Amino acid sequence: MHVPDGFINVPVSAAAGVVAVGAVAVSLRGARRELDERTAPLAGLVAAFIFAVQMLNFPVATGTSGHLLGGALAAILVGPYTGVLCISVVLLMQGILFADGGLTALGVNITDMAVITTVVSYALFRALVRILPRARRSVTIASFVAALVSVPAAAIGFTLFYAIGGTTDIPIGKVLTGMVGVHVLIGIGEAAITALTVGAVIAVRPDLVHGARGLSAPLKLRVGGELVDAAPAAAPVPVAARSTRAVWATGLVTALVLAGFVSFYASANPDGLEKVAADQGIDKKTEPHHTADSPLADYGVKDITDARISGGLAGVIGVAGTVAVGSGIFWAVRRRRTADRDGSVTSFAGGSV
């Protein structure tokens, strides 16, 4: 789904850039409410994990592959605003370091892969958890459905961009049919990865899953013919006191293994957008990537001839860079929230209104 330079004309790409900048600005403000002492360290890890899993292309049809987009996963784990920032960080790292996704098309990619997938998936996820029984299994089911729908939604988003600013004269009906058809199949893989990951985290630390907060139903007792909330058997361990180090370390090691080793066995077939673009002729005016001479272009380390070592080392560098950049951004957002809160408390104590 990474749109290269040349698919969408300059005016529409520029307009998408304005939309993307606005969405990121709104998300930075919204993330202040989502990030706390537990989730701030994990948000950078979520971005790095998504970067790693995006390297694992899986076959979906003859000659076609797909990979995780990650909007649903990020939104459910750390919140929709923080989720937009996670995917934006991944896209920025991929575009600059790995020549994956055009730089002039960065606004298109952020709007499509970060904003549309996150908004659609989280809205559907919240609707489903309100309908389904209040249980952990319901969160996993809602995650599966939300992730499944988010991928063809992004395919429709690209089709709309192409309808407005496509650089080739291809009937829009063919583009829509091709994009939605293959991305429904990719959505199944996205849904499976998302549900498995959310299910794994919620099994060990449900307090770290943003989408699961407030879903636990209190135990009910029948007293005098009426149902009343039962008192907790013991005081729970304060959430803030529970360390996230084990989860963070496990997630980082997993991301490193996926990007540094498992990625070598990923499908080499073109992904959904590449396949549709080649079949329909959308790629006729593709432009060379601005960072095509990057030492990490195409997810390999320049001058290392062994493909396994080159790809694995590039994956490790990508994970490390993403977790470093993402963590820095999210810690800064978290510190801003703390500063705003302390400032509000000081103003109140001073009698300001």
Side-chain angles (χ1 to χ4, degrees):
M1 191 70 76
H2 293 75
V3 180
D5 296 320
F7 277 24
I8 308 298
N9 64 30
V10 174
V12 174
S13 295
V18 173
V19 173
V21 169
V24 169
V26 171
S27 297
L28 284 169
R29 189 173 185 85
R32 297 181 197 175
R33 299 190 297 271
E34 294 174 345
L35 295 171
D36 54 29
E37 62 275 7
R38 294 169 298 147
T39 56
L42 294 177
L45 176 63
V46 169
F49 180 80
I50 289 172
F51 174 91
V53 179
Q54 283 196 4
M55 294 182 66
L56 308 181
N57 282 47
F58 48 85
V60 296
T62 303
T64 310
S65 70
H67 63 71
L68 182 81
L69 297 185
L73 178 60
I76 295 166
L77 288 180
V78 292
Y81 293 108
T82 308
V84 170
L85 298 179
C86 284
I87 306 302
S88 298
V89 168
V90 172
L91 292 171
L92 187 64
M93 298 293 291
Q94 291 170 333
I96 293 176
L97 296 182
F98 298 92
D100 188 11
L103 295 185
T104 61
L106 185 59
V108 173
N109 284 322
I110 289 177
T111 302
D112 196 31
M113 295 178 63
V115 179
I116 291 178
T117 59
T118 300
V119 171
V120 170
S121 63
Y122 197 73
L124 180 56
F125 172 83
R126 295 306 305 176
L128 289 173
V129 295
R130 289 189 180 97
I131 298 171
L132 296 171
R134 298 167 68 87
R136 294 180 182 178
R137 181 180 300 178
S138 298
V139 176
T140 304
I141 294 172
S143 300
F144 183 94
V145 177
L148 174 62
V149 173
S150 71
V151 179
I156 294 173
F158 168 79
T159 304
L160 291 175
F161 277 119
Y162 181 81
I164 300 171
T167 56
T168 53
D169 187 17
I170 308 298
I172 195 64
K174 289 186 176 181
V175 177
L176 179 62
T177 301
M179 286 294 293
V180 173
V182 70
H183 284 92
V184 166
L185 299 177
I186 295 173
I188 297 173
E190 175 103 11
I193 295 170
T194 301
L196 287 172
T197 304
V198 171
V201 177
I202 205 171
V204 294
R205 289 293 300 271
D207 59 297
L208 297 180
V209 179
H210 179 90
R213 294 181 181 179
L215 295 179
S216 58
L219 178 64
K220 299 287 187 179
L221 295 178
R222 187 174 296 277
V223 179
E226 296 182 358
L227 289 176
V228 298
D229 292 343
V237 177
V239 173
R242 301 182 64 183
S243 174
T244 61
R245 291 180 181 177
V247 175
W248 198 93
T250 302
L252 181 60
V253 170
T254 302
L256 290 170
V257 170
L258 292 176
F261 178 73
V262 180
S263 62
F264 180 77
Y265 301 97
S267 173
N269 291 329
D271 64 25
L273 176 57
E274 292 172 336
K275 179 65 173 175
V276 173
D279 290 346
Q280 303 295 338
I282 299 174
D283 59 354
K284 290 179 181 179
K285 295 187 178 180
T286 303
E287 299 175 1
H289 201 283
H290 293 83
T291 61
D293 58 349
S294 166
L296 296 173
D298 297 325
Y299 298 93
V301 178
K302 189 176 181 180
D303 297 330
I304 295 182
T305 57
D306 186 293
R308 186 189 298 270
I309 297 176
S310 178
L313 184 57
V316 169
I317 293 172
V319 168
T322 304
V323 76
V325 172
S327 296
I329 292 173
F330 297 125
W331 271 115
V333 173
R334 168 62 182 159
R335 287 174 63 87
R336 181 64 180 271
R337 169 185 171 174
T338 303
D340 289 347
R341 182 185 61 193
D342 291 345
S344 298
V345 171
T346 301
S347 297
F348 181 78
S352 299
V353 293

